[in-house]
Amino acid sequence: MSSRNTDDTTDVPAVGADSPFRQEHVLRDEAPQFVLPLVVRIEKTGPPARTDALETAARAVLVLLTDERARGEGEWAEAVRDWQDARIRKVVRRARGAEWRKAGTLPGVTVHGETSEVRVFPPVPLDGWPKELAKLQVSGTDLDDPEPVAADVEPGVPVLWLNPGLGMSAGKAMAQAGHAAQLAWWELTDAERTAWQDSGFRLAVRTAARERWAQLSGSGLPVVRDAGFTEIAPGSATVVADHPALRARL
């Protein structure tokens, strides 16, 4: 069964309409596997700040999902449906200079943060990456925050909480933050989705306090559990998506 997007206005949470984690999707591992490519620009001088890159990657996933080309009969819609019918894989690669410029010639959307640029592309078959992207490296996305990141987040801003017990590279954490944003998106009503989109998909990524992680991950908010293909053990809880609209329903 193919997942679908809906343009109908409703106050019923949209999960069940376009989420592949419906009960009937138990065979998603048998479907053809696709991956959502993201490329982060990392120049030798002036690399992006880690937290800003994570936040920009999460927003990039939401921008892709809401792009007209990814909806209805849009040119990316079939690829997005095929991707959502299988495992929701995302891979972050890095580029600079001519590599970044070549990546920018492929269909996609570039999302800008305060210090970062992330380009997201429509899903591709797991073994069918465009040559301009296939040669880009996954490793080397270790980034730092040059200044301490404020723990406080403005009220009403969705927060993607990272598991404090996991050490993830920036690229891995960017993909996990994108997963969390997508899980939150699936569970919002159409009105809540519109409000988030109208805000420019404001969000924050923070590492949870160790003493708070158990409460967050067991709260009923969306939790990303990694398949274990890279870096961390299968089933690891990596990120909790704490959207105010979802917290209000707990």
Side-chain angles (χ1 to χ4, degrees):
M1 177 179 296
S2 294
S3 53
R4 61 188 185 277
N5 290 316
T6 176
D7 295 324
D8 297 335
T9 301
T10 176
D11 286 329
V12 177
V15 66
D18 58 359
S19 169
F21 295 109
R22 291 172 288 168
Q23 190 65 32
E24 59 264 36
H25 276 255
V26 294
L27 298 180
R28 68 183 183 274
D29 285 333
E30 298 180 13
Q33 298 296 303
F34 287 74
V35 62
L36 186 77
L38 297 104
V39 175
V40 56
R41 183 179 185 181
I42 303 181
E43 300 289 347
K44 288 184 177 180
T45 59
R50 179 185 174 98
T51 296
D52 187 61
L54 268 60
E55 293 172 348
T56 304
R59 289 192 293 111
V61 172
L62 297 170
V63 168
L64 184 282
L65 290 174
T66 54
D67 192 289
E68 288 299 319
R69 291 167 289 184
R71 300 168 59 83
E73 300 301 319
E75 60 188 284
W76 301 344
E78 183 177 0
V80 171
R81 287 192 292 268
D82 288 343
W83 169 59
Q84 291 189 132
D85 275 344
R87 283 196 174 272
I88 309 301
R89 297 188 182 190
K90 300 178 181 69
V91 172
V92 177
R93 297 176 183 253
R94 63 182 174 90
R96 66 172 180 259
E99 295 174 332
W100 174 256
R101 291 190 292 274
K102 287 180 181 179
T105 66
L106 298 178
V109 183
T110 299
V111 178
H112 298 263
E114 292 184 4
T115 64
S116 59
E117 293 178 68
V118 175
R119 188 163 179 84
V120 60
F121 304 85
V124 298
L126 194 59
D127 58 355
W129 284 68
K131 65 180 186 300
E132 294 89 347
L133 303 183
K135 65 182 181 181
L136 299 179
Q137 294 187 0
V138 177
S139 61
T141 54
D142 291 325
L143 301 171
D144 296 311
D145 285 310
E147 301 292 337
V149 177
D152 294 335
V153 176
E154 184 179 335
V157 174
V159 182
L160 309 178
W161 295 105
L162 301 176
N163 185 336
L166 294 177
M168 294 185 285
S169 68
K172 179 72 172 182
M174 289 169 70
Q176 298 299 300
H179 292 335
Q182 190 167 0
L183 291 184
W185 179 256
W186 280 330
E187 295 198 23
L188 295 174
T189 67
D190 285 336
E192 291 161 351
R193 287 179 171 186
T194 297
W196 199 9
Q197 186 174 6
D198 288 348
S199 76
F201 294 120
R202 292 187 67 199
L203 56 82
V205 176
R206 296 291 186 272
T207 299
R210 289 184 178 274
E211 63 273 14
R212 194 182 174 209
W213 176 251
Q215 182 273 327
L216 281 167
S217 58
S219 65
L221 292 167
V223 180
V224 178
R225 295 194 179 277
D226 191 63
F229 294 120
T230 60
E231 293 194 23
I232 56 179
S236 298
T238 58
V239 191
V240 172
D242 191 353
H243 192 290
L246 301 182
R247 179 169 286 278
R249 294 202 282 269
L250 296 180

